[in-house]
Amino acid sequence: MSIMVSVDFSLQDGKQKEFLEFLAGALKDTRAFDGCMKVETFAEEDAASVILIEEWETKKHQEVYFQWRLDTGLGDALGPYISAAPKIRYYEIRPE
């Protein structure tokens, strides 16, 4: 069963545009990663945050991806843009 994941980034003042440019490159790899079904980016109008909504085949696929991102230094690369650690939430996709 697929899952939905939200990743909420709180941004430093004036960094949203740069962060979105950074994400544009990084998300190419995310979308190509095994198990990734979809990633959408939502930028808050006041430029204080960006939320990613991701759909993965399984939670395990997303966990493997997340560990790969940590291992390849993405966490450190986020530092100049974010004001707090990202908030990650997992959601079961429920049939209507």
Side-chain angles (χ1 to χ4, degrees):
M1 176 189 300
S2 64
I3 63 157
M4 193 273 286
V5 181
S6 68
V7 185
D8 187 351
F9 297 96
S10 294
L11 302 176
Q12 296 178 23
D13 289 341
K15 295 291 186 170
Q16 189 185 64
K17 182 180 178 192
E18 290 176 59
F19 183 66
L20 290 170
E21 291 169 0
F22 170 79
L23 277 182
L27 291 178
K28 290 177 186 175
D29 292 334
T30 303
R31 290 182 178 104
F33 205 87
D34 183 44
C36 182
M37 299 169 69
K38 178 170 59 171
V39 178
E40 294 180 291
T41 304
F42 298 87
E44 189 173 15
E45 288 183 358
D46 71 0
S49 71
V50 168
I51 295 178
L52 298 180
I53 302 296
E54 307 171 351
E55 186 175 353
W56 292 86
E57 289 180 26
T58 66
K59 186 174 183 180
K60 181 67 176 169
H61 281 97
Q62 197 278 339
E63 290 171 339
V64 169
Y65 161 77
F66 187 73
Q67 187 59 53
W68 172 76
R69 282 299 197 188
L70 292 176
D71 293 346
T72 57
L74 185 71
D76 294 333
L78 295 174
Y81 307 106
I82 61 174
S83 61
K87 293 179 186 168
I88 302 170
R89 294 181 178 92
Y90 294 88
Y91 299 87
E92 177 184 343
I93 299 175
R94 308 274 311 165
E96 296 295 329

